[in-house]
Amino acid sequence: MSKPRASIYNRYIPAVTPPLEFSGSAYWLIFHSGKLLVTENAGITGIPFVPALEQLSMAPLRTLYLGTFEGIASFAAQVPAETPEPEGMAFRPLRSLYESLDEDLFHLAGKGIQMLAWDETHQFCGRCGTATELAQAEHSRSCPACGLVSYPRIAPAVITAILKDNRILLAHSPHFVNNMYGLIAGFVEPGETLEDCVQRETMEEVGIKVKNIRYFASQQWPFPHSLMVGFLAEYESGEITVDGEELDHADWFELDRLPVIPSPVSIARKLIDWVVENHTN
């Protein structure tokens, strides 16, 4: 149905600890405040490639090994917010780099920022408060006192393009900028299948029932730690009703008369573009 993106694992091999004989330069995914440090040279955006952060005069708050990208060791590091930008480099919001950074590197950076956030927020045991220890064989932090093990958290969410008579349902939320309209989306709750979530979120947000729910594609969404699972569905019954809080307007839009829609970085846009391409007469 959708054209799948080539797997990042064609170029990336995950790992937890660097090899004992490691030496030489590495890719450094350096973050602060949700921003990634990138090199900017002749209009080309890249990732710092240096032996160590000391070469950039940086002292990390935490560092995690991610594995190898095209055979090159790759690290994620968090630095203090006041860290100055080295010459020829700049901290940029991660989301803004989607179209300028190599796509696989962008997704690796997404993994890096999520891993750093998990490490920062699990320094102490959530059950007894003891300082946790970072595992050497897997991505986890364990409590030496009570044994609780904490793993990086992923929050699955569904997002759905709903069709009716060659029209698409788009909705506006009060927090959207530039009068943008998007698709119905929401987080999966305990006890639900992904399809259950599609039905529940659609009913809760716009008051209609859907049918013929079909998987489209998925996308990691590191803002801060989601996995977006995209679906297509068809209108079954009901009238659009919004609550005025989470959504303030929703309607059926002709495919050749769409309002402002999400940017290409999101799976929402990929869903909408696919619908337009395959359903426009």
Side-chain angles (χ1 to χ4, degrees):
M1 179 177 296
S2 61
K3 183 179 180 180
R5 183 182 70 85
S7 173
I8 188 176
Y9 295 116
N10 292 331
R11 305 168 70 189
Y12 167 63
I13 300 175
V16 179
T17 56
L20 295 176
E21 68 275 12
F22 168 75
S23 63
S25 293
Y27 285 121
W28 285 89
L29 299 155
I30 306 166
F31 294 91
H32 80 64
S33 309
K35 298 179 180 180
L36 174 66
L37 184 70
V38 294
T39 59
E40 298 179 326
N41 183 20
I44 299 175
T45 302
I47 298 297
F49 183 64
V50 294
L53 289 188
E54 288 78 10
Q55 187 169 328
L56 300 177
S57 300
M58 292 183 173
L61 299 172
R62 57 185 36 83
T63 300
L64 295 173
Y65 181 64
L66 300 179
T68 58
F69 185 82
E70 296 188 330
I72 298 172
S74 303
F75 294 85
Q78 179 187 359
V79 297
E82 64 273 13
T83 300
E85 298 174 340
E87 184 177 355
M89 303 183 190
F91 282 102
R92 302 295 187 205
L94 181 58
R95 193 178 306 192
S96 70
L97 295 171
Y98 177 76
E99 294 182 331
S100 57
L101 193 64
D102 175 275
E103 186 173 10
D104 285 334
L105 277 176
F106 177 85
H107 287 286
L108 183 58
K111 176 174 183 171
I113 196 172
Q114 291 176 84
M115 294 296 295
L116 291 169
W118 158 76
D119 186 73
E120 180 181 17
T121 56
H122 288 79
Q123 293 289 305
F124 296 91
C125 177
R127 183 158 61 193
C128 71
T130 302
T132 59
E133 298 174 346
L134 188 64
Q136 298 301 308
E138 63 178 0
H139 289 301
S140 67
R141 297 194 71 94
S142 61
C143 176
C146 72
L148 181 67
V149 180
S150 299
Y151 297 93
R153 179 161 61 107
I154 297 293
V158 301
I159 183 164
T160 311
I162 303 170
L163 302 177
K164 177 186 180 185
D165 300 329
N166 218 38
R167 293 178 294 168
I168 188 171
L169 179 65
L170 297 175
H172 181 269
S173 173
H175 72 267
F176 286 172
V177 298
N178 300 326
N179 201 32
M180 184 188 75
Y181 277 69
L183 301 176
I184 302 303
F187 288 102
V188 180
E189 294 187 352
E192 287 185 328
T193 65
L194 297 173
E195 292 81 2
D196 288 340
C197 186
V198 169
Q199 293 176 323
R200 176 184 55 77
E201 283 290 340
T202 303
M203 177 58 69
E204 288 181 354
E205 294 195 1
V206 291
I208 66 171
K209 291 184 178 181
V210 294
K211 61 182 180 180
N212 297 333
I213 300 169
R214 294 162 290 161
Y215 173 76
F216 177 80
S218 62
Q219 178 186 45
Q220 66 136 311
W221 193 246
F223 308 109
H225 45 67
S226 300
L227 172 67
M228 302 298 296
V229 186
F231 289 91
L232 297 163
E234 298 175 10
Y235 168 82
E236 180 176 326
S237 63
E239 298 295 329
I240 294 176
T241 305
V242 298
D243 61 9
E245 296 180 4
E246 187 170 353
L247 297 177
D248 56 14
H249 184 248
D251 206 346
W252 300 104
F253 289 85
E254 300 289 343
L255 299 181
D256 59 351
R257 296 183 180 179
L258 297 180
V260 178
I261 55 178
S263 70
V265 66
S266 67
I267 193 172
R269 178 60 173 269
K270 292 175 173 61
L271 273 160
I272 295 170
D273 287 348
W274 187 92
V275 168
V276 171
E277 180 180 347
N278 289 274
H279 289 78
T280 301
N281 294 327

